Amino acid sequence: MKEEVTVNGKDFSVYLTKEEIIGRVWDLGQQITNDYRGKTPIILSVLNGAFIFTADLVRHIELPLNIEFVRLSSYEGTSSTGKLTEVLGLKTDLENQDVIIVEDIVDTGFTLSNFVKTVKSKNPNSVKIVSLLRKPEAISFPVEIDYVGFDIPNDFVLGYGLDYDEVGRELPQIYKLVE
Ligand code: IMP
Ligand code: MG
């Protein structure tokens, strides 16, 4: 597997190998399986970035699941709060459901903190968040992540679903920008 890749003229080197990622995804799947025994949670996967992580994670959760995909887009609102997050594709009634939000990466926390509010407003029984990656140094909108794959430095990463200007999502490992 490639140690280095060049995307849009920028060089990236491998940061998390396929084996490291899948080992951790397996751990997360086991934890979720133990925590939700006897339940049928709803997986709410955030497109596009979480598509590969979600596909691997659900195959390591040994429970019946409902799986839904949502797309979030941030835009400048006209209210005094400034930016807003729009949620597209949320069809399922979440009332009394056990919701597990699946994200690829939490950077500032803006996207997720807004999405969690939307989900909670639909009266679910419970809401938990799983994110493959988290950048603790970048957080400026606090949001509690229940299951974290890896805490990483504040560097740009791509692969395993994550893109750089829509390029590189298909890479099987996670690569970090070489400064
Ligand atoms: P936040 O709202 O600042 O937490 O940003 C979250 C979104 O920014 C993620 O869902 C990603 O789409 C994108 N993002 C943040 N950091 C990275 C990165 O290092 N690589 C690729 N995408 C990133
Ligand atoms: Mg994303």
Side-chain angles (χ1 to χ4, degrees), residues 22-93:
I22 210 64
R24 192 70 189 117
V25 172
W26 191 86
D27 292 341
L28 294 172
Q30 290 299 301
Q31 281 181 43
I32 292 169
T33 302
N34 290 331
D35 292 352
Y36 285 86
R37 248 178 233 297
K39 296 178 175 163
T40 302
I42 295 192
I43 300 289
L44 275 189
S45 171
V46 181
L47 291 173
N48 293 333
F51 82 111
I52 293 180
F53 175 43
T54 303
D56 282 342
L57 181 67
V58 295
R59 285 179 282 181
H60 291 88
I61 301 175
E62 294 158 54
L63 297 171
L65 297 172
N66 288 316
I67 305 171
E68 288 276 338
F69 294 88
V70 294
R71 189 180 283 274
L72 309 181
S73 59
S74 301
Y75 62 97
E76 296 289 339
T78 50
S79 74
S80 57
T81 52
K83 283 194 169 173
L84 300 171
T85 300
E86 189 182 18
V87 181
L88 303 171
L90 186 54
K91 309 181 290 283
T92 311
D93 183 4

Side-chain angles (χ1 to χ4, degrees), residues 103-111 135 155-157 162-163:
E103 254 289 23
D104 53 353
I105 186 165
V106 181
D107 187 21
T108 66
F110 174 80
T111 319
K135 294 180 181 173
D155 297 319
F156 195 83
V157 291
L162 292 129
D163 70 304

Side-chain angles (χ1 to χ4, degrees), residues 6-8 12 156-159 161-171:
T6 302
V7 174
N8 288 340
F12 290 82
F156 195 83
V157 291
L158 92 167
L162 292 129
D163 70 304
Y164 174 44
D165 284 348
E166 296 304 326
V167 181
R169 292 193 196 277
E170 72 285 1
L171 296 166

Side-chain angles (χ1 to χ4, degrees), residues 129-162:
I129 301 171
V130 45
S131 184
L132 179 65
L133 304 173
R134 177 172 64 182
K135 294 180 181 173
E137 294 160 32
I139 202 85
S140 51
F141 298 86
V143 50
E144 194 189 326
I145 313 296
D146 302 279
Y147 307 94
V148 179
F150 302 90
D151 274 326
I152 65 168
N154 199 3
D155 297 319
F156 195 83
V157 291
L158 92 167
Y160 197 74
L162 292 129

Side-chain angles (χ1 to χ4, degrees), residues 1-4 13-26 52 56 132-133 149-150 152 157-160 171-176:
M1 222 161 291
K2 282 189 211 140
E3 288 280 312
E4 257 134 48
S13 64
V14 70
Y15 178 63
L16 294 169
T17 65
K18 199 177 171 184
E19 290 71 29
E20 288 171 316
I21 297 166
I22 210 64
R24 192 70 189 117
V25 172
W26 191 86
I52 293 180
D56 282 342
L132 179 65
L133 304 173
F150 302 90
I152 65 168
V157 291
L158 92 167
Y160 197 74
L171 296 166
Q173 315 193 94
I174 294 177
Y175 295 81
K176 193 170 94 167

